[in-house]
């Protein structure tokens, strides 16, 4: 489903307490998030113009609200509300964000965010498996992947084992994207996001490789020495970059 303007033009971050200093830090973070959320363009944050916009981040917020992440838990000794973590949600007017994007040479990503089927192989030492909807070992990874989609309002799903068309982890790595896109559509998604994560003792983390096809071109990108949480965030950000028409991640 297409995101509503209210969903799209807002951002959330975690701050300590509700004081002015940390609120201003939160405003800067939310500004970055809403610009990427609306446009899908990850490169905006490296633009030199962002420095000045961050300094004026509070000026662009239409309204904001807090939620105490420890709600219901009594304040501990020597702890006040200024010490407690809060979700800070910032709401923006579409016209304001769209104007900022234009200043940065970007534009909103309109329409529906296409649902994506993830075809992922995981390898750690002698252990290796395909991340499917019914793979018990992959429960934490599936939850992490779902969490990674929230900032960009993306949607991912995982094929069931019987939907893999007899592809094991080795064959899945070599499968061409046209075949995986067909399997994705059969599983109710718009297209496939193919990837592999391999644990590296040398890198002290996972090496993640990703592939996605769009408009006849297959894109590839990588992250090295990261947690699998970050590997999945890289995957989702890359997919958004491509599908929004902003090119190579």
């Amino acid at each position: 489903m297409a995101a509503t303007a209210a969903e799209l033009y807002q951002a959330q971050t975690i701050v300590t307490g509700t004081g002015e200093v940390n609120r201003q830090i939160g405003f800067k973070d939310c500004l970055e998030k809403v610009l990427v959320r609306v446009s899908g363009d990850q490169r905006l944050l490296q633009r030199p113009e962002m420095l000045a916009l961050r300094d004026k981040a509070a000026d662009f917020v239409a309204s904001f609200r807090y939620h105490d992440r420890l709600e219901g838990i009594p304040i501990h000794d020597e702890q006040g509300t200024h010490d407690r973590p809060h979700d800070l949600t910032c709401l923006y007017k579409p016209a304001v964000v769209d104007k900022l994007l234009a200043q940065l040479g970007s534009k909103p990503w309109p329409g529906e965010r296409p649902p994506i089927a993830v075809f992922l192989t995981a390898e750690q030492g002698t252990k290796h498996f395909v991340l499917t909807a019914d793979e018990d070992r992959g429960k934490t990874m599936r939850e992490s992947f779902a969490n990674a989609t929230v900032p960009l309002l993306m949607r991912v799903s995982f094929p069931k084992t019987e939907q893999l068309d007899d592809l094991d982890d080795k064959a899945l790595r070599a499968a061409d994207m046209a075949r995986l896109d067909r399997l994705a559509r059969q599983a109710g998604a718009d297209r496939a996001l193919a990837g592999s994560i391999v644990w590296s003792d040398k890198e002290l983390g996972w090496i993640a490789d990703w592939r996605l096809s769009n408009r006849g071109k297959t894109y590839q990108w990588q992250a090295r020495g990261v947690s699998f949480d970050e590997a999945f965030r890289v995957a989702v950000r890359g997919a958004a970059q491509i599908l929004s028409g902003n090119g190579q991640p």
Side-chain angles (χ1 to χ4, degrees):
M1 297 176 60
T4 66
E7 292 171 321
L8 192 60
Y9 288 87
Q10 67 171 267
Q12 187 179 90
T13 191
I14 300 174
V15 296
T16 302
T18 58
E20 177 67 20
V21 173
N22 286 334
R23 183 185 308 145
Q24 294 301 320
I25 295 172
F27 283 164
K28 293 179 180 180
D29 191 36
C30 282
L31 176 64
E32 293 181 354
K33 289 181 176 179
V34 76
L35 290 174
V36 173
R37 185 187 187 102
V38 173
S39 68
D41 190 353
Q42 316 300 311
R43 298 169 300 183
L44 294 180
L45 305 186
Q46 279 71 54
R47 295 291 299 269
E49 299 93 331
M50 279 300 302
L51 185 62
L53 293 181
R54 289 186 186 96
D55 289 340
K56 299 187 294 183
D59 297 344
F60 309 124
V61 179
S63 62
F64 64 91
R65 61 176 181 263
Y66 286 106
H67 174 256
D68 187 347
R69 294 176 65 86
L70 301 180
E71 185 178 26
I73 300 176
I75 295 175
H76 306 307
D77 293 341
E78 300 181 1
Q79 180 201 43
T81 56
H82 62 282
D83 295 318
R84 292 163 71 93
H86 286 70
D87 291 322
L88 170 63
T89 301
C90 294
L91 309 177
Y92 300 85
K93 293 182 178 180
V96 172
V97 174
D98 293 355
K99 183 178 180 180
L100 292 177
L101 289 175
Q103 292 175 9
L104 293 167
S106 187
K107 60 183 179 181
W109 176 18
E112 295 184 8
R113 305 289 163 97
I116 294 171
V118 177
F119 295 85
L120 175 66
T121 63
E123 179 181 329
Q124 186 172 18
T126 59
K127 300 177 182 178
H128 53 90
F129 64 93
V130 177
L131 183 62
T132 60
D134 45 3
E135 165 57 61
D136 291 339
R137 291 171 293 181
K139 180 181 179 181
T140 303
M141 288 186 175
R142 289 193 297 271
E143 292 174 350
S144 175
F145 225 125
N147 290 337
T149 67
V150 174
L152 286 159
L153 295 178
M154 300 283 284
R155 288 175 292 154
V156 295
S157 61
F158 304 90
K160 294 181 179 179
T161 302
E162 66 264 21
Q163 294 173 324
L164 286 177
D165 198 21
D166 295 326
L167 289 170
D168 60 16
D169 57 324
K170 184 177 180 180
L172 192 58
R173 289 193 187 196
D176 65 77
M177 291 305 301
R179 182 181 183 183
L180 295 181
D181 281 340
R182 288 194 297 271
L183 292 177
R185 289 190 290 271
Q186 291 172 14
D190 182 81
R191 68 193 65 203
L193 170 63
S196 66
I197 57 172
V198 180
W199 177 261
S200 169
D201 290 332
K202 180 180 179 181
E203 299 279 355
L204 298 177
W206 297 91
I207 298 174
D209 290 280
W210 303 104
R211 294 183 291 148
L212 186 143
S213 289
N214 190 48
R215 299 180 180 178
K217 180 178 178 179
T218 296
Y219 295 83
Q220 300 183 55
W221 65 105
Q222 185 185 74
R224 302 181 67 88
V226 296
S227 66
F228 66 71
D229 293 314
E230 179 61 16
F232 300 156
R233 286 190 287 265
V234 168
V236 174
R237 291 195 295 258
Q241 177 93 5
I242 295 163
L243 296 175
S244 61
N246 286 297
Q248 178 68 40

